[in-house]
Every structure is written in structure tokens, then in C-alpha cells.
Amino acid sequence: MSLKRGIFLAPFDELVDPRTLAELATSAESRGWDGFFLWDHVAYSAPVRAVADPWVALAAIACATERLRLGPMVTPLSRRRVHKLARETVTLDHLSRGRLTLGVGLGSDRHNELERFGEVVDGRERARLLDRGLERLSAFWTGEFEPPPVQRPRIPVWAAARWPHRRPVRRAARWDGLFPIDLPGPDALAELATEVRALRAGSDDPFDLVVEAPPGAATEPWEAAGATWVLTDFGSPRPRPAAVREAIEAGPR
């Protein structure tokens, strides 16, 4: 499997307009990038002020592109109504003609977007809700709701795991990809890749290992460690549009 490259943006402040994000995605597609992914938050710490809904923005991106894989990175299922998310994901999968990947995770209250809105704060309870939510999503996708997704057997799910915690890695191994956060380097990814292979022993289904890297960073060490996707991340929730355009124009290779 050849390494794929994506753009990874927070739809905040200067990048809050879905039309701007759709234009950037169109440019990324024309320059040969493989994916375009958005942070999923309802609020964020200062100095961020404006926050866009990633799902509406992703719909705009789906309409403006034909090839890019797209999705939220990541959606905390504990603060979502799973039946509503099932409708949203299937609709976006149809709109994009089968290009959606659903990134999921626990989320956190570091930016005051859980307790402030009456959401679950306890980490263990959020983990339980995440696992239960994924089971319910799978059931909705595979027959409880119509229409089903375009993608078979389901919309791919990438699960986040903050290094060095291992319970989220075991969760990810049951799905379609692992998005490890705060990795110290490629050696840590290689360690996780070995663990995932052991956890998925006997399965020939595709599985993605997804990492972040700054613009212009060498991707070869990550690919050698087992990465299937490297997402260009701008190291800030408020990247300047000019910097994003520059990275897109430089191309993925």
C-alpha cells in the first residue's frame, strides 16, 4: 500500500468559512493530495473565537471535489446522538460518493466544550459511550437504517489514541485505522504497528496507521515505521490561509 497524504485543518477563525475550505480542498485535489480532514469542536480555547461546524464544511468539500477522501478528525461520540450521526455519516457518504472516513475519539474538556454544555466529563464513561456508540453506528449502517452507506461493508472508522495509552489502541484494532496523537517519533509508531498486527492476527482487512507531520517534513521515516497516511498539520489551531495554500501548492510528495 503506497503512502497517502492529506491536509488536516482546524475550521477556526480565518478558516471558518466553508467556501474557503472547499476552495482549499479543490486546490489540494488538483495538486495530487489524497485527503482533506477537519477538526471537530464546538468551542475552543482563546485566542480562537470563531468555530465552524465540520459536518457542514465537509458537505461543501464533498460537493467541490471528486477524489479526495474526507472526514472529521476526530468526533467524540460521547457528545453526539448516535442515531443522528448515523444519518449524517450516511448522507455525507452518499454526497461524496463513498469518500467519507469517520475519525472518532474520547474528546476532552481541555477547551471547555463538555461540562459547559452538559456533556459527560468522566473519561471512563466517555470511553464506554464511545464503544457503545460505535456498535450502534455499525448496526444502523448495516440494516437498521436505510439507505445504507455507499461503502461496503461500512464507512471506515479511524480511532484516535493518545500516546502512550494502550486501551484506545485495542479499540482501534477492532475497526479500520489508528490515529495516534502525541507520538514522540517513528519508533513509537513502529511499536504500535507491531501491537496492532498482533491484535488483528488472522485479519486480512485493510488497516490504516495515520500520523501528523508539519509542512515539508520528511515522510520516509513514518512510512518505514508503518504509516499508511501522513496528514500535514500546521501546528496551530489558527494557521494562516496563506501558509495552508503554500503547503498545498508544494504538493504531497
Side-chain angles (χ1 to χ4, degrees):
M1 183 182 295
S2 61
L3 183 71
K4 293 181 172 62
R5 298 297 314 280
I7 297 292
F8 185 32
L9 292 177
F12 300 163
D13 289 344
E14 290 185 80
L15 297 176
V16 78
D17 190 332
R19 287 165 292 200
T20 299
L21 294 166
E23 179 266 320
L24 291 171
T26 301
S27 297
E29 186 168 77
S30 70
R31 296 297 296 171
W33 293 84
D34 302 296
F36 203 94
F37 301 91
L38 300 179
W39 297 19
D40 185 349
H41 290 270
V42 295
Y44 208 79
S45 302
V48 169
R49 294 180 62 85
V51 176
D53 181 89
W55 293 89
V56 174
L58 287 166
I61 291 166
C63 289
T65 58
E66 297 181 355
R67 181 186 55 80
L68 285 178
R69 183 149 287 274
L70 50 89
M73 295 288 281
V74 296
T75 291
L77 263 64
S78 65
R79 64 168 172 81
R80 299 301 303 272
R81 293 182 179 271
V82 177
H83 52 281
K84 181 68 164 63
L85 184 63
R87 292 297 193 199
E88 292 167 346
T89 50
V90 170
T91 300
L92 186 53
D93 196 50
H94 279 259
L95 184 62
S96 65
R97 296 184 175 90
R99 292 183 283 133
L100 174 64
T101 294
L102 176 62
V104 300
L106 291 184
S108 77
D109 207 25
R110 289 184 296 171
H111 304 289
N112 194 24
E113 59 182 332
L114 296 179
E115 186 174 18
R116 172 184 177 185
F117 300 109
E119 306 289 358
V120 174
V121 175
D122 179 74
R124 290 184 179 181
E125 178 63 9
R126 281 186 282 120
R128 187 185 68 81
L129 290 171
L130 173 55
D131 288 329
R132 187 175 71 182
L134 285 170
E135 292 173 3
R136 293 300 300 135
L137 265 183
S138 184
F140 286 131
W141 289 343
T142 56
E144 287 195 24
F145 276 177
E146 292 186 10
V150 172
Q151 298 180 85
R152 295 289 190 274
R154 62 167 179 261
I155 295 166
V157 174
W158 292 346
R162 191 174 299 277
W163 176 268
H165 301 297
R166 291 308 201 263
R167 286 185 180 179
V169 175
R170 294 193 290 272
R171 173 185 298 112
R174 299 194 296 269
W175 296 92
D176 309 293
L178 169 65
F179 178 44
I181 300 169
D182 292 341
L183 280 177
D187 288 346
L189 180 66
E191 183 180 326
L192 293 178
T194 298
E195 293 179 19
V196 168
R197 282 195 296 271
L199 290 166
R200 291 176 58 83
S203 174
D204 295 324
D205 294 335
F207 189 87
D208 285 307
L209 291 172
V210 187
V211 298
E212 307 166 72
T219 60
E220 291 82 2
W222 292 110
E223 186 173 14
T228 61
W229 280 84
V230 174
L231 307 184
T232 293
D233 175 77
F234 294 85
S236 166
R238 305 174 76 212
R240 301 304 300 269
V244 176
R245 290 189 175 94
E246 182 180 356
I248 288 172
E249 288 299 313
R253 307 296 180 227

